[in-house]
Amino acid sequence: MRLYIAIPFVLVASLYAAAGVAAVTRGWVPSWNRRRVRRVRLHGWGQLVVAFGVCWQVVFGLVISGPGIREWGPSPAACFS
């Protein structure tokens, strides 16, 4: 498990998701994005989808596929021989 990589990614994704929830529920967008965002609700839903995707990749790419998990099952060579 590569938790030293996974934990910062989850923290950033959670902050991004919080901004998405704020955009969807209150119509609030950070000041550095206010001029470029035309549809606030659509922007918020996009942020939520991106945050979900990042968390999904972290959980299934870094945490679950670690070397400690691979020891539980048979080796790939044993499956195909």
Side-chain angles (χ1 to χ4, degrees):
M1 289 188 258
R2 299 180 190 125
L3 291 179
Y4 61 92
I5 296 174
I7 291 172
F9 271 111
V10 169
L11 289 175
V12 169
S14 65
L15 289 174
Y16 204 65
V21 168
V24 170
T25 58
R26 304 279 185 206
W28 180 82
V29 177
S31 61
W32 57 85
N33 282 343
R34 286 192 184 140
R35 292 181 187 224
R36 293 177 277 182
V37 175
R38 301 273 186 232
R39 299 181 187 168
V40 176
R41 291 183 62 91
L42 182 62
H43 179 77
W45 282 112
Q47 281 185 315
L48 289 174
V49 168
V50 169
F52 177 76
V54 168
C55 287
W56 189 269
Q57 285 181 339
V58 165
V59 167
F60 289 105
L62 295 175
V63 176
I64 290 182
S65 68
I69 301 297
R70 292 184 190 145
E71 294 173 358
W72 293 353
S75 66
C79 294
F80 295 111
S81 58

